[in-house]
Structure formats: C-alpha cells, structure tokens
Amino acid sequence: MQSENNTNSPAGTSFVHSAKNYFDYRAFEGAAVFLLLFFYIVAMAILFSIRNTPLIGYETDGVTFMMKSRALFTKYFSPPTLGAGVGSVFAMRFFDMIVHDTFAAGKLVSMIAGFFYLLASFKVMKKLYAPSTGLLTALLLLVNPTVVIYSTISGSDMLAAAFLMMALWALLDNQRNSRVFLAGLCLGLGFTVRCVYIIFIILILSVMGDFKNNKLRTIYKFVIGSIGFIVGSLPQLAANVLYYGSPIFTNSWRLVALTLHEGVYDSGFLSLSFAKVNQQGWLRLCYLWMKRFVVQVPTIIVYAVFWPAFLAVPGYILSFRRFKQNNRLLILSGVSMIIYLFFLSSVFFENEPRYLLPVFPLLLASSMTMLRILVNDRKRGIVIGFTVILLITVFATIEKTREYITGGQAMEFKKAGLFLNAKAGPHDIIVASQPHVFFYARRPGKLFESFSREELKNFEQDINTRGVQWVVFDERYGAGQFPSLTWLLDPESSRAAANGWHSVFDNKTKPRIVVWRVQ
C-alpha cells in the first residue's frame, strides 16, 4: 500500500517517468548501435564477395604482408620495416589457416578490426561526450569512404586503429586493474601492428590523473599498464632482435629521403641514412616538412573527415571543461597524439587519409559537440545543412567505393601471376611494377622501383647481370611510373628481340600487361 501511495505521489510519478524514459532511451540506443553494426556487417559481406583481387595502390602494402604471412616461420621470412610491424602478418596467417585463402584472410582481418573500431569509437565518445555524440560519430565513421575502404583492405591500418580505440575504451574505466592491463595490452598490440604508433604508450600516463589523492595505487596501475604494453609488443620486439639485432628498428627514415627528393623512386635515395639526408639538405627538408604540415595535412583532414573537420577545434575547446577530471589527462594525451600523427604524416611523400584513422573519432566527436551547440541555438539552417551534407557524404562514399572496386582491382596482374605460377621455376626471379604479380605467382620478385635511374637507363644489361628470368610490364601502373620502359608493352619489340627476350604472355586487353622470358 505504501508503495502504491509513493507511486501516485508527485515524487513517485516523477521517478516512474524517469525510469521509463531511461529504459526507453537504453532500448533506442541499443537498437541504433545494433543497426549500425548490422549495416556494417552487410556492407562488408557484399564488398568481400565482389572483390576478387587486391587493389592497385591502396593494397600494395597489404599484398606484401600477405606474402610475408605465407613465409612466416620459414627461412624466407623477414619482418616489415617501413612503419609496419609483424602484428598484421600474424593475424593474416591465423585466418589463412582457417579459411585456406590468403587474400580472404587478409580481408577478414581488416573487416573484423573495422567492426571493433566502430564499436569502440561509439563507446569512447559516448562516455567522453554524450550518447548522442557517440551514435553520430559511429554513423559518420560508417559512411566515411576511408573507413569503408580500409575495412576491406588487407593492410595494417584498420587493425592498428582498432587496437588504439579499444585501448581508449579500456582506459576510460581504469578503476579496475584488469582494464588498465587490457589497455596496455591493446597499445602494445597496436605497436606490434604499426611500429610508428609506439608513441601512443603515452596514453598510459592518463592513469596518473589521481596521483595526488592515491599515489601508491596510481603507480601500481601505471606499472600494470606498462606490463600490458610490454606483453602486447613482445612479438615485434622479439622479431626486431632476431632479424635486426635491436628491439626498436624501422626503415621509415627512407621516406624522409624520398621527401627530400620529392618522392622520386630511386634506390640510391632509398639507401640514404637520415644523417646523409641531413648532410645533403637539412634546411630544404625542414622547409618541405613544414610546408606539408601546414598545407597538405589540413587538406587530408577535410578530405578524410569531410565537412565537420573545421568544427573540431572549437568543439573540443568548448567541451573540455565538461570532461571529468580523470578523463582530462587522457584527452590531452589523445590530442597530443593527433598532433603527432599530423606531423608524422607530413613527412611522407604521399600523404594518405589512412594515416589519420586513429584520430577520426575524436575529430568527429568534437565536431558533433560544436554542431549540437549550434542546433540548440535553434539554427534551423544548420540542421538542414547537416542533413543535406550527410546525404552527400553517403552518396560520395557509395561512388568512391564503386570506383575503387571496379577500377582498382588487379585483374591483369592476377592473370600474369597465375601464368607465372604455372610456368616459372621455383627459384626464378621476376621483375614487376607491383607485388601483386609475385603474390599470385608465389615466386620471389623485384620491383622496378628497386632499380636506380642509372640502372633503368641500361635496363636490359642490368636484368641479365641480376639473374632475372621474367619481366612483367603493365600499362596501368608501370607505364606511368617508368615511361622509358614502355617499349616492354610491345610484344614485337625489336629492342627486346635484340637482347634475346621473347614475350610469352599478353592479355591483349586494356589495361595491357606483357610477360617476357629473358633467360
């Protein structure tokens, strides 16, 4: 009876309505997240089924990782060095043992990683900002071309970004030691997937936010997180020591050499040390680096994150005070990581949106906060503009995805590679413009970009001295990058005949590809 009286009283009625609204919203939120993840799974399943070959350009690194996954635990294996780690190689090998298809395994790794990337992004931004902000962030990520494309590509970018977002998710609940260890483990695995993300260990410092009130417990949590990081990074540290004699090793400085020489492929530039690059022109290097940082990186942000990008900074500033005290250090660490990625990506001779995948969610969530402030001020035009541009973004994603699937698949490289798989000897060496040929041929190979300018001038003689048996030249990529070798597209080339070479495969369709037997 007392319970009924309380229910009929104003306070009881208010409580019932509050509880009902709470459960109604929880049901809506759960349904919305379910639909987002369901649409993601459906989209990925469709893309998985209709994409038959690796992409040209987008997936060059992924093809290299897939070939390394095949060679794992053999004498032919060597770890990736240009910014990537062994994490994606191990993951691809694991799924390859299940599905017995290396290309399918590579796609599965990124697709599963994309699922957890979306889920973790929602959870993190919901806790930092608001549930509605988390949902909008996940929605915008779902229709973002960069996220969609790299969730289907057999590379390392989405897997590394997923580990970093899951680390943030765990750090937001750092009262439990198990979550702190999990956060450190995810950060370590992120480093194992992409070595350039080692700087993200700074995020572990966010557990020090309560240092003044509880020093011993805070230090204990920091140690637990650090142990988790070491455990997660052990595969990469062990591989570096085993193959290169040092726990930390990368050849990313070669990209610095390319920056100095404006992205010209030349093995002479690629062999430069960072010290030699500084000697040749440190002032020019600084100028180019800052120019890219100031000019190109903002362009990449707008291209990758679209229209909300310009709202991110004011949205972050206005919402910073609303963050819980314990989360402010985490957010500051995250913002420092954004600046780090911006500055790091500006050194690459080809800036690509994929480098910024780890920071997309925070940029979008900050933008959504600023947008919500504008909407609350009853700016009807803002709401209409948001809806219109969101629709444009969806159609742009569909068009860009269609373009990369229909125009980017390496069908001619697959045909040439399968031909060589049947004809080439087990130890024959192949030269081609893309590693896709080696992937399908299951043979070792050398890329045209490994030849210096001088060697390309005397290409035939250098091929003979290197002991190469097969040369594959294509119209789509090789002819554009190495115009001096376009004579290789003519199966009746007199220049080739003069050296005793003869064409053995010609797909005779656009884009053309020709295989030469040279020895």
Side-chain angles (χ1 to χ4, degrees):
M1 192 72 178
Q2 183 68 29
S3 176
E4 291 179 3
N5 291 337
N6 284 343
T7 302
N8 293 328
S9 67
T13 303
S14 176
F15 173 80
V16 170
H17 283 307
S18 298
K20 184 176 183 300
N21 290 337
Y22 172 78
F23 286 111
D24 286 347
Y25 179 79
R26 293 281 292 184
F28 166 77
E29 180 186 302
V33 173
F34 173 81
L35 286 175
L36 282 173
L37 296 178
F38 174 77
F39 282 128
Y40 172 84
I41 293 172
V42 170
M44 292 301 107
I46 294 172
L47 293 176
F48 184 92
S49 63
I50 65 178
R51 199 159 71 83
N52 302 312
T53 63
L55 302 177
I56 299 297
Y58 282 109
E59 210 159 0
T60 300
D61 291 344
V63 172
T64 302
F65 299 151
M66 288 189 288
M67 289 191 294
K68 288 182 179 294
S69 74
R70 286 175 177 170
L72 198 61
F73 307 122
T74 71
K75 64 180 180 180
Y76 302 106
F77 175 75
S78 62
T81 58
L82 289 176
V86 298
S88 56
V89 175
F90 275 97
M92 290 175 187
R93 181 58 181 270
F94 173 78
F95 282 100
D96 195 6
M97 291 189 296
I98 297 174
V99 301
H100 306 291
D101 184 333
T102 310
F103 181 46
K107 291 188 292 183
L108 277 173
V109 170
S110 292
M111 288 179 180
I112 294 172
F115 178 90
F116 285 101
Y117 175 75
L118 279 178
L119 179 61
S121 297
F122 162 73
K123 292 291 187 178
V124 170
M125 300 312 152
K126 169 189 172 183
K127 192 153 189 176
L128 284 178
Y129 292 89
S132 58
T133 302
L135 282 173
L136 282 173
T137 300
L139 174 62
L140 289 174
L141 289 173
L142 180 63
V143 299
N144 186 287
T146 303
V147 174
V148 172
I149 291 173
Y150 284 96
S151 292
T152 67
I153 284 179
S154 55
S156 61
D157 301 280
M158 185 53 70
L159 183 59
F163 277 129
L164 294 178
M165 288 309 302
M166 287 190 290
L168 285 173
W169 184 7
L171 283 172
L172 285 172
D173 185 16
N174 60 25
Q175 297 303 312
R176 289 184 287 173
N177 294 334
S178 59
R179 297 299 294 266
V180 176
F181 177 84
L182 178 62
L185 181 67
C186 288
L187 290 174
L189 290 171
F191 162 72
T192 298
V193 175
R194 287 194 66 80
C195 298
V196 293
Y197 290 164
I198 187 173
I199 193 69
F200 278 84
I201 191 177
I202 293 177
L203 293 174
I204 292 292
L205 292 175
S206 64
V207 303
M208 304 294 286
D210 197 35
F211 182 74
K212 290 183 178 180
N213 299 326
N214 200 332
K215 294 181 180 180
L216 288 178
R217 177 168 172 75
T218 301
I219 293 174
Y220 180 64
K221 288 195 295 184
F222 177 76
V223 171
I224 289 176
S226 300
I227 292 174
F229 179 86
I230 293 172
V231 172
S233 61
L234 272 178
Q236 185 61 41
L237 298 175
N240 287 342
V241 171
L242 182 62
Y243 287 91
Y244 306 114
S246 172
I248 304 298
F249 180 87
T250 178
N251 274 345
S252 293
W253 49 262
R254 294 187 176 187
L255 298 176
V256 179
L258 284 176
T259 298
L260 181 63
H261 295 280
E262 300 182 302
V264 178
Y265 283 115
D266 192 303
S267 61
F269 297 159
L270 290 175
S271 63
L272 292 175
S273 67
F274 187 72
K276 182 66 80 171
V277 170
N278 278 329
Q279 290 176 11
Q280 289 196 8
W282 66 270
L283 193 60
R284 174 175 170 75
L285 177 62
C286 292
Y287 166 73
L288 289 174
W289 202 336
M290 292 307 300
K291 177 183 176 183
R292 292 174 181 224
F293 182 70
V294 173
V295 177
Q296 294 187 20
V297 170
T299 304
I300 290 295
I301 296 171
V302 174
Y303 168 76
V305 189
F306 290 116
W307 60 273
F310 69 94
L311 295 175
V313 174
Y316 170 78
I317 293 174
L318 291 173
S319 59
F320 182 76
R321 291 184 178 180
R322 288 193 250 172
F323 293 142
K324 295 179 180 179
Q325 186 65 36
N326 292 338
N327 292 336
R328 288 185 180 180
L329 187 57
L330 177 63
I331 294 300
L332 287 174
S333 301
V335 170
S336 66
M337 294 304 96
I338 293 177
I339 297 173
Y340 162 77
L341 281 181
F342 289 170
F343 193 69
L344 182 67
S345 65
S346 64
V347 73
F348 299 155
F349 66 95
E350 288 184 1
N351 285 327
E352 298 180 48
R354 63 189 176 101
Y355 301 138
L356 305 180
L357 276 171
V359 300
F360 277 9
L362 187 56
L363 287 172
L364 288 170
S366 298
S367 302
M368 291 301 97
T369 299
M370 188 64 197
L371 178 68
R372 187 168 61 181
I373 293 173
L374 295 173
V375 170
N376 289 340
D377 289 340
R378 302 180 184 277
K379 304 290 185 181
R380 183 176 298 179
I382 297 293
V383 178
I384 296 174
F386 170 79
T387 305
V388 170
I389 298 178
L390 180 60
L391 290 174
I392 293 174
T393 302
V394 172
F395 287 117
T397 301
I398 294 172
E399 174 59 25
K400 190 169 182 63
T401 305
R402 183 201 63 80
E403 177 186 336
Y404 100 91
I405 288 176
T406 56
Q409 296 198 68
M411 298 303 297
E412 71 271 28
F413 293 91
K414 180 179 181 179
K415 293 176 182 178
L418 292 175
F419 171 83
L420 290 169
N421 179 259
K423 300 294 184 181
H427 302 293
D428 284 1
I429 299 176
I430 305 166
V431 172
S433 67
Q434 290 286 291
H436 303 59
V437 175
F438 316 142
F439 175 72
Y440 285 104
R442 292 179 177 265
R443 299 291 190 280
K446 298 180 182 292
L447 294 172
F448 281 105
E449 65 188 51
S450 66
F451 292 78
S452 66
R453 288 175 177 175
E454 291 301 318
E455 290 170 337
L456 288 174
K457 290 178 181 178
N458 304 290
F459 182 69
E460 303 96 301
Q461 293 84 348
D462 197 69
I463 285 292
N464 293 329
T465 58
R466 290 193 183 207
V468 174
Q469 286 77 32
W470 308 87
V471 173
V472 182
F473 198 76
D474 66 284
E475 181 180 17
R476 184 171 7 170
Y477 187 87
Q481 291 292 320
F482 308 97
S484 63
L485 300 178
T486 51
W487 53 272
L488 288 169
L489 287 174
D490 180 10
E492 307 296 330
S493 170
S494 58
R495 183 172 173 178
N499 288 278
W501 298 7
H502 55 279
S503 62
V504 292
F505 176 85
D506 177 11
N507 67 339
K508 297 180 181 180
T509 58
K510 292 281 188 177
R512 199 167 190 176
I513 192 166
V514 180
V515 178
W516 295 89
R517 185 72 163 94
V518 299
Q519 286 188 16

